[in-house]
Amino acid sequence: MHVNSVAKKYSSSVVLKGISFDFKQGEIVGLIGSNGAGKSTLMKIIAQIIQTFDGSVEDNNHVGYLIEEPKLYSNKTGLAHLSYFSEIYGNKFKLSEYEELLKGLQLFDVLNKKVKEYSLGMRQKLGIVISLMNKPSYVVLDEPTNSMDIETSLEVLQQLRKMANEWNVGVLISSHKLEDIETICDRVLFLEKGTISGEQQFSKESQSILKLVFDNPTDLATFIENQEFGSIIHSSERTIQIETTAENTEIFQFLNELEVRLIDFTAEKKTLRNVYMNKLRGEDHDTEYQKLC
């Protein structure tokens, strides 16, 4: 799928500003940002719920979606919902095709119960399955683990990963639970103030974020000029943050060889949370994190 220079405004309020990115079938892409960043609007455009916008979205003719709460009928059973939505899309529902997924989501044994007997988490899971009734190439999921406890969330995430791999479905997922995004996504897009402010690929190698404070700017410049440990996240007059898979001992040996002097050194395991917080440096981090959560 190709999202090309997508922009959207309501009256004088600009919501999206020239959004462009690609994602492919079998890939899970996370979309994170603070409230009001434009995530839901972008997802609705991709799902063709919003059809008036500038720019274009290519190859989005077969998209399933769960955006906001699933629209369900309390007096109908789970099975009736699946049959009904399959028929809307011109398909005949075959339980055998979805049996493994339904069992993985702990829904198979409650399909004949009315939705009014379902918990919020069960309704959310049913909404996820309904999003697949048009046999999509891509699925857009806005807060799919909302109202779920940790164990149920992991259950759902495992099934989404399995679905992407085995059914070759591309998934675009938004969540305020950063640990959910980190668990299953191949990469993450950071959406802030209507623009894509960055992208984070996830590596299977263990990565750390190092903060090095040098004795003077000259030592810092020497380190930057010679280091090949990883990408620089941020640097200032005497301080640098880098993302690396190198061991701390390798870093210290290199510093000795350069004959530069550190006055402070910290290392923390790379997580989506600290990557996101580092992107917000220079702003009120606590306020932004509260917005996100």
Side-chain angles (χ1 to χ4, degrees):
M1 184 184 297
H2 309 284
V3 178
N4 305 307
S5 301
V6 167
K8 177 67 178 176
K9 67 178 181 179
Y10 297 99
S11 299
S12 60
S13 176
V14 178
V15 182
L16 298 174
K17 309 171 189 176
I19 301 291
S20 296
F21 66 93
D22 295 342
F23 82 106
K24 59 188 179 182
Q25 290 179 240
E27 181 182 31
I28 301 183
V29 177
L31 186 64
I32 69 170
S34 55
N35 292 335
K39 301 186 298 296
S40 293
T41 299
L42 177 59
M43 289 182 143
K44 288 177 180 178
I45 288 172
I46 291 171
Q48 300 186 53
I49 299 170
I50 294 174
Q51 299 191 355
T52 304
F53 59 93
D54 294 324
S56 65
V57 182
E58 301 173 21
D59 300 326
N60 68 327
N61 292 326
H62 300 285
V63 177
Y65 61 87
L66 174 61
I67 298 176
E68 297 165 350
E69 292 183 2
K71 307 301 186 286
L72 305 175
Y73 303 94
S74 60
N75 284 317
K76 298 290 186 182
T77 65
L79 184 59
H81 279 82
L82 299 179
S83 298
Y84 172 71
F85 283 100
S86 288
E87 289 175 9
I88 285 179
Y89 293 119
N91 302 317
K92 182 175 176 60
F93 179 70
K94 295 179 180 178
L95 184 59
S96 58
E97 291 182 8
Y98 299 91
E99 182 174 348
E100 186 177 354
L101 174 63
L102 289 164
K103 286 182 176 177
L105 292 174
Q106 307 297 318
L107 284 177
F108 187 80
D109 292 334
V110 296
L111 284 179
N112 290 317
K113 289 186 176 183
K114 292 183 178 180
V115 163
K116 64 183 177 183
E117 300 177 53
Y118 285 18
S119 66
L120 289 176
M122 290 168 64
R123 294 183 187 195
Q124 196 76 3
K125 289 190 285 186
L126 181 60
I128 292 171
V129 181
I130 288 171
S131 74
L132 304 173
M133 292 299 100
N134 63 338
K135 300 185 183 297
S137 300
Y138 298 92
V139 178
V140 175
L141 302 173
D142 188 12
E143 304 286 350
T145 59
N146 191 31
S147 305
M148 297 182 193
D149 57 30
I150 294 174
E151 184 178 351
T152 306
S153 292
L154 289 174
E155 219 171 64
V156 169
L157 298 174
Q158 288 169 359
Q159 292 304 312
L160 291 177
R161 180 76 269 177
K162 188 174 183 181
M163 179 187 74
N165 293 342
E166 296 182 2
W167 296 7
N168 197 32
V169 175
V171 180
L172 182 65
I173 178 173
S174 164
S175 179
H176 287 113
K177 300 177 182 178
L178 297 187
E179 64 274 14
D180 284 3
I181 296 288
E182 191 168 19
T183 297
I184 63 165
C185 288
D186 300 301
R187 59 190 172 101
V188 166
L189 302 175
F190 297 97
L191 185 62
E192 288 303 325
K193 298 178 181 177
T195 63
I196 299 290
S197 62
E199 179 178 330
Q200 179 66 51
Q201 297 278 350
F202 286 105
S203 169
K204 295 188 182 300
E205 293 183 277
S206 177
Q207 292 186 311
S208 297
I209 294 178
L210 307 182
K211 179 180 178 182
L212 298 87
V213 182
F214 289 85
D215 183 60
N216 56 74
T218 302
D219 282 356
L220 172 59
T222 300
F223 177 79
I224 291 175
E225 183 179 348
N226 291 278
Q227 78 89 18
E228 296 179 351
F229 291 110
S231 58
I232 296 172
I233 299 171
H234 173 62
S235 65
S236 57
E237 186 180 7
R238 293 185 299 130
T239 303
I240 187 171
Q241 285 180 300
I242 64 171
E243 182 181 307
T244 181
T245 58
E247 297 290 337
N248 292 349
T249 52
E250 296 178 64
I251 303 289
F252 289 127
Q253 182 178 346
F254 181 69
L255 293 169
N256 287 332
E257 291 171 358
L258 288 180
E259 297 182 346
V260 296
R261 184 169 177 265
L262 278 185
I263 58 174
D264 193 20
F265 175 90
T266 58
E268 58 182 358
K269 185 180 181 297
K270 179 186 168 186
T271 65
L272 184 56
R273 178 181 295 186
N274 56 41
V275 170
Y276 184 77
M277 297 307 288
N278 281 326
K279 288 190 66 61
L280 294 175
R281 66 182 180 276
E283 303 179 24
D284 184 341
H285 289 194
D286 291 337
T287 300
E288 289 295 327
Y289 187 69
Q290 288 168 9
K291 287 181 185 177
L292 184 69
C293 297

